[in-house]
Amino acid sequence: MSVLFPWLFWVLILVAAVVFLWPLRRTRTANKNEYENLSPPLFNEEFSEELNPPAALSSHQLQRPPEPELPHCYGIDRMVLLARDPHWLFAYWEITATKQDEFTNNYGPEAWSATHPVLRIYDITGIDFNGKNALGYTDIHISESADNWYVQVGKPDRSFCVDLGRMFPDGRFITLLRSNAVTTPRASLSDRLDEEWMWIEGLYRTIGKFQFGTSSPMIIEELAMRSAALPLGISSPGLNNDK
Amino acid sequence: MPKGYLCLVLHAHLPFVRHPEHENFLEEKWLYEAITETYIPLIHVFERLIEDNVKFRVTLTLSPPLLSMFTDPLLQERYVRHLAKLIELADKEEGRTYGSPFHETALMYKKRFQEAMFTFCDRYNRNLVTAFKDFQDKGRIELITCAATHGYLPFMMLYPEAIKGQIKTAVDLHTRHLGKPPAGIWLPECAYAPGVDEILKECGLKFFFTDSHGVLYASHRPRFGIFAPIYCPSGVAAFGRDIESSKQVWSTQEGYPGDYDYREFYRDIGYDLGLDYIGPYIHPDGIRIHTGIKYHKITGKVDLSQKQPYNPRQADEKAALHAGNFMFNRQHQIYYLANLMDRPPIIVAPYDAELFGHWWFEGPKWLDYLIRKIAFDQDVVEMATPSDYLQNFPCNQVATPCSSSWGNKGYHEVWLCGANDWIYRHLHIAAERMTSLANKYSNARGLHRRALNQAAREFLLAQSSDWAFIMSTGTMVEYAVKRTKYHLLNFFQLQKEIQGNCINEDNLQYLEYKNNIFPDIDYNWYANRTELPKAASL
C-alpha cells in the first residue's frame, strides 16, 4: 500500500491535468489551423509554436529567400568603352574561360600565370584604326581581378580605343579584347571658325566665367547632402530602419 | 517685333513609381506630393492666365512615365484618398493653430488642398493630362516629350536601337494622349552625345536642348553662342541653356528660392508634431514623412529650430519682386545681345517643373507674375517656344553639339561613377538581347507577342536615369538598386522564356499588371536590319 500510494497520487494528478487542460489543447489546435493559413510553421512540434507565435516566426526565424541577383558574367568576350568626360574614360569587360583556354593553347600552359593584365590605350583620333596605325598608346598595368577601370586620358576631343591584353616579362603584349572607339567631349570653344560664320567677340562677353551644372541634379545633390534626405521629401522604409 | 525672346522650359518628370502591390508605398508619394505641390498649382497658374486673356508661351515636357501615371486609374484613385487625408489633416490644423501666428498659413493650406481636390476630380475628371492638352490646344503651351523612361542616352550610343526604343515609345505615347506628335524633346538630364540627333530626326523630332557648353563647345564655334539655335548636321535644332537666367533661379546661394521670406522646405509637421497626433497622416509604420504642411520661412542661415513663422503675404510680395527682377535682367541681356546679332536673340531658361511649388513653394506664383509682367509691362521681351523661333528664323548655323549633360561638372560623371557604373554591363547586354529578340521574332503573335512587349517594358524601366542618379547621391540607394535589378531580372527571365518557347503565362500576366507602362508598345521598334555594332576589328 505504502508503495502503491505515491503511484496512485501521480496517476490522479495526471488524470486531473488531462481533464483540465483538454479544452485548452483544443483551442490551441484550432489556432494552429488558423496560423497555418497565414504561414506554414517551421516546426511540427507543438512546443516550438508555443514558444514562438507564428507571427514572430515569420519575421525572426524564417530566413527570407535571398534576393535573386544579376549574373556576374554573361559568357561573352567583350570590352565596352565609355567616355565619361573630356578627361576620363571608363572600360568594363568580361573574359570567358574559352578565351583564357585559347590563350593557354597558343602560348603554353604556363603563359597565363607568367603574364599580367595590361590595358593599352590607343589614341586613334582621325584615323580608321586597324590595330597598328594608332597615333600612340599608353599601357596601364592593372590587377588580375579587375573587370573595369577608369582611365585618365586628360585629352578632350580625342578618339580612343582600348585593348585588354596579357604582357610577358619581356614586354610582349598579346591582345585579348578590343573595345569600341569613343571620342572624349570638347572642354572648350572650338577653334574651327567658318569663313561665312564669323565669330563675334561681344556675344561671349556676357557669358564670362561660368560653372557647369547649376541645375536640378546639382540642387538635389546639394540639398540631399545638407539634410540627408532627398528633397522630394520621402525616404524609403528600408533606409529609415538602417538609421 | 520684340527685341528678343524668352524661352521658358519646364521639364516635368518623375520615375515610374506605381506599386499596386502595397497600399502605402513611400516612393509612390513622390507623385502625390508633386501633384499637390507642383502640377496642380501650375495648372492653376495657366488656367488663370487664360481666363484673364494674358498672352504667353511656355514649353513644357510631360515625361512618358508622368503621362502614364497621370492616366492610371489606380494611382488616380489613390491620389484622391491621399488628398482627402490631407484635407482632413488641414481641417484639424485649422483648429490646432487657432490664435497662433501659424493660423493664416493653416487656412491657406486648407484652401489649397480643397481647390486641388476640385481641380483634380471635378474639373479634369482625375486626368490631369486633359488640363495640359487644353493649354496646348489653346496655343499657350508647347508640349514636348522626353525619352520613354528617362534613359540616359549617351551611354546607349553603342546600341542605337535602344535609343530608338526610348524615343519611339515616347513619341507614340505622347501622340496618343495629346492628339499630335511632339515637335521637340527634352533629352533626359539634358544629356546629349553626337549621333542622338539622328535618331531624333528619324522619329520626327525637330529640336532638343543642351546645357550651355553643349552648344558653346560645338564642333564649329557658334556665331551667336547660345542665343540662337544651331542645326546638327542631321537638321535637328539644338538650343543651349542660358547661364545667367539659370543661375538666378537654380543657384542655392544666389538664387531666388533661397530668399529668407520664402517657405522653408525642411520644417514639416510630419516631423515636428507628436506621433499621437500626426500618426494617421504619416507612414503606417510610424516612419515620419513630409506632409506638405510647413509653417516656417527660411528666415536665414539658422538652425531648423530657429525658423520664424511663414507669412504668405510677405512671400507673395517677394515673388512679385523677383519676377520683376528676372524680367529686368532679361531685358538688359536682350538689349545688349540685340546689338551684336542680326536677329533677335532667344534666351533659353529650362527648369525642372518640380522646382516650382515643391521645393520653391512660391515658384508658381513667381511664374504667374513673370508672365503677366512680360505681357503687360514692356515690349522688349516676348515669350516664345522653340517651334515659334524656328518658324520665324529657319536659317541657322550648322555644327555638331558637344557631348554634355546638365549634371554636376557638365558631362556624364553623375551617371557613371563608382556608385552606379556596374549597371551598364547589364543594361548593355539587355540592349543587345532586346534587339536580337526583335530581329528574330519579327511577326510574333499571341502569347509570344505579349512576352516580347513586356520584355521591352522591363528593359525600358531598368534604364531610367533616375536610378543611376539616386545611386550617385547616396540617399535611398536601396530602392534604386532594387528597381534596376528587378526590371533587368524580369527582362532576362522573359528573354529566356521567349527563346525557350516556354512562356509562363501566369507570371507574364502578373508583370503586365504590375509594370503596366506603355500599353501600346511595339517590341519591333527594337529591330535592326543591320549588324549590331561590334568592337573595332582585332
Side-chain angles (χ1 to χ4, degrees):
Chain A
M1 195 62 184
S2 62
V3 184
L4 265 175
F5 185 69
W7 274 103
L8 210 70
F9 177 69
W10 284 114
V11 165
L12 275 173
I13 285 182
L14 207 71
V15 167
V18 166
V19 166
F20 280 108
L21 292 177
W22 190 253
L24 288 177
R25 188 175 180 273
R26 277 174 63 184
T27 52
R28 202 166 52 213
T29 318
N31 281 344
K32 188 185 164 197
N33 286 338
E34 272 172 37
Y35 292 147
E36 269 174 354
N37 291 336
L38 291 171
S39 63
L42 249 196
F43 307 101
N44 288 325
E45 290 88 342
E46 272 194 13
F47 64 84
S48 81
E49 208 171 318
E50 282 170 354
L51 292 173
N52 304 289
L57 250 186
S58 59
S59 60
H60 292 120
Q61 288 219 328
L62 265 180
Q63 290 232 322
R64 267 200 221 152
E67 299 231 339
E69 269 299 323
L70 289 165
H72 190 68
C73 296
Y74 290 92
I76 300 166
D77 290 300
R78 60 182 181 140
M79 174 147 72
V80 171
L81 186 62
L82 300 169
R84 191 188 79 175
D85 57 45
H87 306 286
W88 287 84
L89 307 177
F90 172 72
Y92 72 81
W93 58 86
E94 181 183 338
I95 299 180
T96 59
T98 326
K99 192 86 187 171
Q100 200 170 329
D101 289 347
E102 210 178 275
F103 180 83
T104 320
N105 289 343
N106 289 342
Y107 301 96
E110 301 299 316
W112 195 269
S113 52
T115 54
H116 64 273
V118 165
L119 287 178
R120 181 160 286 188
I121 324 295
Y122 299 100
D123 184 335
I124 56 165
T125 308
I127 54 173
D128 189 8
F129 185 50
N130 63 11
K132 294 186 180 70
N133 57 350
L135 301 175
Y137 67 81
T138 317
D139 283 346
I140 299 174
H141 298 259
I142 60 170
S143 59
E144 197 70 60
S145 59
D147 64 359
N148 68 81
W149 206 263
Y150 286 92
V151 181
Q152 187 175 17
V153 288
K155 287 182 183 165
D157 200 26
R158 304 287 292 181
S159 301
F160 298 93
C161 180
V162 175
D163 273 4
L164 171 68
R166 308 286 304 181
M167 192 175 272
F168 284 94
D170 62 3
R172 236 182 339 145
F173 177 77
I174 310 298
T175 297
L176 295 175
L177 299 173
R178 176 159 298 163
S179 78
N180 55 296
V182 297
T183 302
T184 48
R186 303 186 57 85
S188 59
L189 291 165
S190 170
D191 44 20
R192 290 162 79 180
L193 311 167
D194 258 59
E195 280 188 14
E196 287 168 73
W197 295 94
M198 283 295 293
W199 155 253
I200 302 171
E201 264 318 296
L203 266 177
Y204 291 90
R205 203 177 297 143
T206 62
I207 293 161
K209 280 187 92 173
F210 64 92
Q211 198 196 344
F212 298 145
T214 10
S215 65
S216 90
M218 184 74 170
I219 226 171
I220 299 181
E221 277 174 38
E222 254 188 80
L223 295 176
M225 263 186 278
R226 216 195 294 163
S227 73
L230 275 194
L232 266 169
I234 314 119
S235 50
S236 75
L239 199 83
N240 272 15
N241 289 342
D242 289 343
K243 278 178 191 164
Chain B
M1 193 151 130
K3 284 201 167 305
Y5 297 96
L6 173 66
C7 175
L8 209 61
V9 186
L10 299 178
H11 169 54
H13 163 71
L14 283 179
F16 192 67
V17 285
R18 179 180 178 274
H19 287 281
E21 68 271 30
H22 293 300
E23 180 67 31
N24 283 292
F25 225 91
L26 288 180
E27 284 77 9
E28 216 170 79
K29 290 212 161 36
W30 295 350
L31 174 70
Y32 308 149
E33 282 188 23
I35 291 178
T36 315
E37 296 172 358
T38 293
Y39 308 135
I40 288 180
L42 284 177
I43 287 171
H44 286 161
V45 167
F46 298 137
E47 275 177 349
R48 276 169 216 147
L49 288 168
I50 290 169
E51 252 169 53
D52 297 347
N53 215 5
V54 181
K55 285 219 165 86
F56 69 97
R57 290 287 276 158
V58 170
T59 310
L60 179 83
T61 328
L62 286 179
S63 83
L66 198 57
L67 267 184
S68 309
M69 293 192 289
F70 276 161
T71 50
D72 185 86
L74 173 78
L75 292 176
Q76 291 169 349
E77 175 67 37
R78 284 185 177 177
Y79 176 66
V80 173
R81 279 207 293 275
H82 168 90
L83 191 57
K85 281 286 260 199
L86 213 50
I87 292 173
E88 186 188 299
L89 176 61
D91 254 340
K92 285 191 188 171
E93 282 297 282
E94 184 184 354
R96 193 186 67 86
T97 58
Y98 187 77
S100 80
F102 305 118
H103 190 59
E104 198 190 332
T105 313
L107 290 176
M108 173 192 78
Y109 285 121
K110 187 179 162 187
K111 186 161 162 268
R112 284 171 66 96
F113 298 154
Q114 282 168 341
E115 281 172 358
M117 188 64 105
F118 173 79
T119 299
F120 191 80
C121 294
D122 303 316
R123 203 171 155 94
Y124 297 109
N125 201 16
R126 299 185 173 193
N127 180 1
L128 294 183
V129 177
T130 346
F132 293 108
K133 184 172 185 300
D134 186 45
F135 306 145
Q136 168 191 266
D137 295 346
K138 290 194 165 108
R140 289 291 160 245
I141 289 193
E142 171 159 14
L143 292 174
I144 59 171
T145 192
C146 188
T149 54
H150 218 257
Y152 200 78
L153 306 182
F155 293 147
M156 296 179 205
M157 283 309 294
L158 266 184
Y159 304 95
E161 310 312 323
I163 301 181
K164 212 158 76 182
Q166 282 272 351
I167 309 295
K168 280 204 171 166
T169 309
V171 169
D172 176 75
L173 186 85
H174 188 98
T175 312
R176 282 172 198 274
H177 283 301
L178 296 155
K180 61 176 188 184
I185 184 167
W186 174 265
L187 297 178
E189 318 294 2
C190 216
Y192 168 82
V196 166
D197 51 288
E198 281 167 36
I199 296 162
L200 301 184
K201 187 192 167 78
E202 209 184 308
C203 300
L205 295 164
K206 295 181 185 66
F207 64 84
F208 63 95
F209 302 89
T210 71
D211 200 358
S212 319
H213 56 302
V215 166
L216 275 184
Y217 297 170
S219 59
H220 292 74
R221 197 181 292 191
R223 181 172 174 187
F224 298 130
I226 44 176
F227 304 110
I230 55 173
Y231 284 137
C232 301
S234 60
V236 179
F239 287 80
R241 184 166 76 126
D242 175 51
I243 296 144
E244 242 180 276
S245 52
S246 294
K247 212 159 70 177
Q248 274 181 318
V249 176
W250 275 126
S251 167
T252 43
Q253 261 102 61
E254 348 159 21
Y256 303 133
D259 189 278
Y260 294 168
D261 280 336
Y262 286 150
R263 193 190 72 170
E264 168 63 49
F265 180 85
Y266 290 105
R267 275 295 293 273
D268 190 292
I269 61 166
Y271 291 86
D272 283 357
L273 298 183
L275 277 180
D276 48 334
Y277 177 83
I278 204 72
Y281 307 100
I282 56 174
H283 192 272
D285 296 349
I287 300 162
R288 288 183 177 270
I289 54 171
H290 284 253
T291 60
I293 300 183
K294 304 161 203 275
Y295 292 118
H296 296 83
K297 59 181 179 183
I298 294 174
T299 315
K301 287 186 173 31
V302 296
D303 189 73
L304 275 185
S305 60
Q306 303 298 312
K307 304 279 177 183
Q308 298 297 308
Y310 180 68
N311 182 330
R313 260 166 300 181
Q314 252 174 26
D316 193 68
E317 278 167 27
K318 263 297 160 60
L321 210 70
H322 285 156
N325 175 271
F326 186 86
M327 188 180 73
F328 174 81
N329 283 315
R330 297 295 77 70
Q331 285 174 317
H332 275 258
Q333 202 179 0
I334 283 170
Y335 267 129
Y336 178 73
L337 292 168
N339 290 330
L340 304 164
M341 293 174 63
D342 67 356
R343 63 184 76 192
I346 180 165
I347 291 172
V348 179
Y351 309 102
D352 265 347
E354 294 75 23
L355 173 72
F356 293 80
H358 179 71
W359 303 340
W360 180 17
F361 182 65
E362 296 78 7
K365 205 73 212 178
W366 173 86
L367 192 67
D368 185 78
Y369 284 126
L370 176 67
I371 289 172
R372 285 171 199 266
K373 279 175 196 287
I374 289 176
F376 298 121
D377 294 359
Q378 53 88 50
D379 48 13
V380 179
V381 193
E382 201 172 271
M383 298 188 92
T385 71
S387 289
D388 301 339
Y389 193 87
L390 290 173
Q391 256 160 25
N392 285 335
F393 307 98
C395 176
N396 294 291
Q397 190 181 346
V398 177
T400 306
C402 168
S403 179
S404 56
S405 83
W406 76 351
N408 195 3
K409 299 186 193 166
Y411 295 95
H412 311 301
E413 190 177 341
V414 173
W415 295 273
L416 177 65
C417 58
N420 55 28
D421 54 22
W422 59 271
I423 65 175
Y424 297 104
R425 144 189 325 266
H426 306 288
L427 288 173
H428 288 161
I429 279 281
E432 201 176 303
R433 294 192 179 170
M434 188 64 231
T435 293
S436 28
L437 283 178
N439 286 345
K440 194 167 165 198
Y441 305 97
S442 56
N443 286 310
R445 302 246 168 276
L447 197 58
H448 249 81
R449 185 174 194 87
R450 279 171 54 199
L452 283 156
N453 283 338
Q454 191 58 33
R457 285 183 199 109
E458 301 294 340
F459 172 49
L460 282 166
L461 287 168
Q463 284 179 309
S464 288
S465 72
D466 308 272
W467 311 146
F469 178 71
I470 294 175
M471 290 176 211
S472 78
T473 61
T475 19
M476 307 185 43
V477 175
E478 199 190 348
Y479 179 71
V481 170
K482 229 181 220 174
R483 286 292 301 270
T484 307
K485 289 186 181 171
Y486 167 74
H487 294 298
L488 277 168
L489 285 164
N490 286 344
F491 171 81
F492 288 129
Q493 179 62 28
L494 285 165
Q495 179 229 340
K496 215 164 72 189
E497 291 177 13
I498 293 163
Q499 286 183 325
N501 202 11
C502 55
I503 297 163
N504 176 342
E505 191 173 359
D506 287 347
N507 188 44
L508 174 62
Q509 202 171 353
Y510 178 69
L511 291 178
E512 285 172 331
Y513 146 81
K514 198 168 164 226
N515 305 321
N516 70 346
I517 197 168
F518 312 132
D520 303 298
I521 198 169
D522 183 354
Y523 70 93
N524 283 301
W525 293 330
Y526 283 94
N528 150 304
R529 300 300 157 221
T530 55
E531 281 281 288
L532 279 174
K534 288 241 169 68
S537 58
L538 263 176

